[in-house]
Amino acid sequence: MKVLILPSNVASMPAITLDRLNKAGIEARAVFIDTNLYSDYRQSKAFQLKGLKYGLPHKVYNAALFYKEVINGIRWADVIHWCGSFSFPVLNMVLPIIRMYKKPGLVEWVGSDIRIPEVEFKDNPYYKQVFHNGYEYPYESYAHSRKTQLLFKKGGFLPLVFPGMEQYILPEIFPEYYKYIQRIDLSHYTPAFPDSSNPVPCIVHAPTAPVCKGTAFIEMALDKLKQDFRFEYKLVHKIPRPKALELIASSDIFIDQLVLGSYGMATMEAFAMGKPVVCFMKESVQSCFPGISPVVNANPDTITDKLYALLADGELRNKKGIESRAYAERYHDIDVVINDLITIYEKVIQHQK
């Protein structure tokens, strides 16, 4: 089996998947466009289009190289694994090629690419509160989601859906889809459980999109808690990936987000390091995850109380950290779930035939 992963390395999950597919004996390639400070690229080919030294000519040259690699990869592959929708120009140029060669494909959306505000409004008042007040992804809409899903439907794709995303799949477009889960390479993370006797716990937060993450609510809560506790507060923001991981590794409490109702790679990395994670999980999404989640579920209304409990109880911080690592080992470890993905690829190829 030959697998081609396109076109962006969202949260490093495509690179992790590529690595384990090859180790499992599957021939796999990945071609990515644009990079960022936080991703792990490993064996892939990546072509940068932003911030280039030689401007437009350099961009055109890199874009041509990208499309050449993509076309060669499509001709070579048995199945396409598309991660994230990326831009409509890229979609409109690449999807027809996949359709022309009649290659089966899976598309794995990761959030804002198909998020539907009207769906989120129904059971997430915090998203509704920020959506018209500086929310960083204003293009999210029913129309945008439908357009994206229709493009992939015409391209012959089926969705590969992780917990929290199936609520946005439009059944009239995709009556069937495959369920999978976010994954992480645990071999790259050494757990460092919080020291229950630490008198000055370290709280780390990653405000990649401050409104979306609810950073203002977090910092208001911390201002109140300063009256009762001593603690450090550090931000993971605009720094290279190794430094970001160092900060998370140094934490006693990791705060992800208070608005979106689910979690992604940042939480999984904190799980892997054995950290208690504070994050807002909608009830409808939490029930989609397997097992008992170790997340300390907090929202803008409860964040102060939830942090108070963690700051007041070192044993609780240690316990939640141990639970986090155990959960990652059981459900998110790429070595545990890679065979499930290979089985899905086989089903998609057979379905196409």
Side-chain angles (χ1 to χ4, degrees), residues 24-180:
I26 303 298
E27 292 184 75
R29 299 178 185 174
V31 184
F32 300 138
I33 195 165
D34 276 327
T35 61
N36 61 56
L37 291 171
Y38 304 104
S39 294
D40 179 352
Y41 282 82
R42 303 191 190 185
Q43 308 161 35
S44 61
K45 292 186 178 181
F47 299 91
Q48 191 76 10
L49 297 187
K50 298 176 182 177
L52 297 174
K53 182 178 180 180
Y54 300 108
L56 183 59
H58 197 176
K59 181 176 182 178
V60 171
Y61 177 73
N62 278 3
L65 291 178
F66 169 75
Y67 284 116
K68 179 183 177 182
E69 287 289 340
V70 167
I71 293 169
N72 289 337
I74 292 170
R75 294 172 63 187
W76 165 85
D78 295 315
V79 62
I80 314 296
H81 185 161
W82 190 290
C83 296
S85 61
F86 207 67
S87 67
F88 285 121
V90 171
L91 292 176
N92 288 327
M93 294 184 73
V94 175
L95 291 182
I97 301 169
I98 295 171
R99 191 164 62 243
M100 181 177 71
Y101 283 101
K102 298 181 179 179
K103 294 301 175 81
L106 289 168
V107 55
E108 186 173 24
W109 291 299
V110 296
S112 62
D113 35 21
I114 63 162
R115 186 175 289 116
I116 300 174
E118 291 79 5
V119 171
E120 202 65 28
F121 291 162
K122 291 178 181 178
D123 63 349
N124 188 349
Y126 310 109
Y127 176 90
K128 191 172 186 178
Q129 181 179 342
V130 305
F131 186 72
H132 297 294
N133 292 284
Y135 184 69
E136 289 89 352
Y137 309 108
Y139 57 81
E140 291 178 1
S141 67
Y142 171 82
H144 180 273
S145 181
R146 181 177 175 81
K147 180 180 178 181
T148 301
Q149 294 187 51
L150 279 172
L151 276 173
F152 281 95
K153 176 70 172 180
K154 292 176 182 176
F157 282 78
L158 285 171
L160 183 67
V161 181
F162 60 69
M165 293 303 296
E166 55 194 281
Q167 61 185 320
Y168 310 121
I169 301 295
L170 297 173
E172 66 272 22
I173 299 175
F174 290 112
E176 61 176 316
Y177 52 83
Y178 292 95
K179 294 183 181 182
Y180 198 43

Side-chain angles (χ1 to χ4, degrees), residues 134-331:
Y135 184 69
E136 289 89 352
Y137 309 108
Y139 57 81
E140 291 178 1
S141 67
Y142 171 82
H144 180 273
S145 181
R146 181 177 175 81
K147 180 180 178 181
T148 301
Q149 294 187 51
L150 279 172
L151 276 173
F152 281 95
K153 176 70 172 180
K154 292 176 182 176
F157 282 78
L158 285 171
L160 183 67
V161 181
F162 60 69
M165 293 303 296
E166 55 194 281
Q167 61 185 320
Y168 310 121
I169 301 295
L170 297 173
E172 66 272 22
I173 299 175
F174 290 112
E176 61 176 316
Y177 52 83
Y178 292 95
K179 294 183 181 182
Y180 198 43
I181 196 167
Q182 304 100 312
R183 54 256 178 226
I184 191 168
D185 185 349
L186 285 184
S187 69
H188 284 238
Y189 302 87
T190 301
F193 305 117
D195 180 355
S196 59
S197 63
N198 185 359
V200 187
C202 177
I203 299 173
V204 171
H205 171 54
T208 47
V211 177
C212 174
K213 292 277 189 174
T215 302
F217 301 114
I218 293 165
E219 294 184 345
M220 283 191 290
L222 292 176
D223 281 341
K224 295 177 183 176
L225 292 167
K226 285 178 182 177
Q227 301 172 21
D228 299 301
F229 299 101
R230 294 169 58 213
F231 56 84
E232 293 182 90
Y233 175 52
K234 298 179 181 179
L235 296 177
V236 178
H237 189 54
K238 292 184 178 180
I239 57 176
R241 177 178 172 78
K243 181 62 177 176
L245 294 177
E246 283 180 22
L247 282 176
I248 298 173
S250 72
S251 69
D252 295 282
I253 300 169
F254 179 75
I255 308 176
D256 187 348
Q257 58 78 28
L258 302 182
V259 170
L260 291 180
S262 189
Y263 63 77
M265 181 56 78
T267 283
M268 287 194 295
E269 288 180 327
F271 282 173
M273 295 182 200
K275 307 301 179 181
V277 175
V278 179
C279 181
F280 173 46
M281 296 285 289
K282 292 196 310 181
E283 184 177 345
S284 60
V285 169
Q286 189 158 2
S287 63
C288 296
F289 280 89
I292 300 174
S293 174
V295 166
V296 177
N297 198 346
N299 59 51
D301 295 325
T302 64
I303 181 63
T304 303
D305 291 341
K306 294 299 178 74
L307 286 176
Y308 189 102
L310 287 170
L311 289 169
D313 190 341
E315 293 293 339
L316 177 62
R317 296 194 299 270
N318 180 265
K319 175 176 176 287
K320 296 302 293 185
I322 293 171
E323 290 175 359
S324 291
R325 175 72 186 197
Y327 190 87
E329 290 174 351
R330 184 168 184 180
Y331 297 112

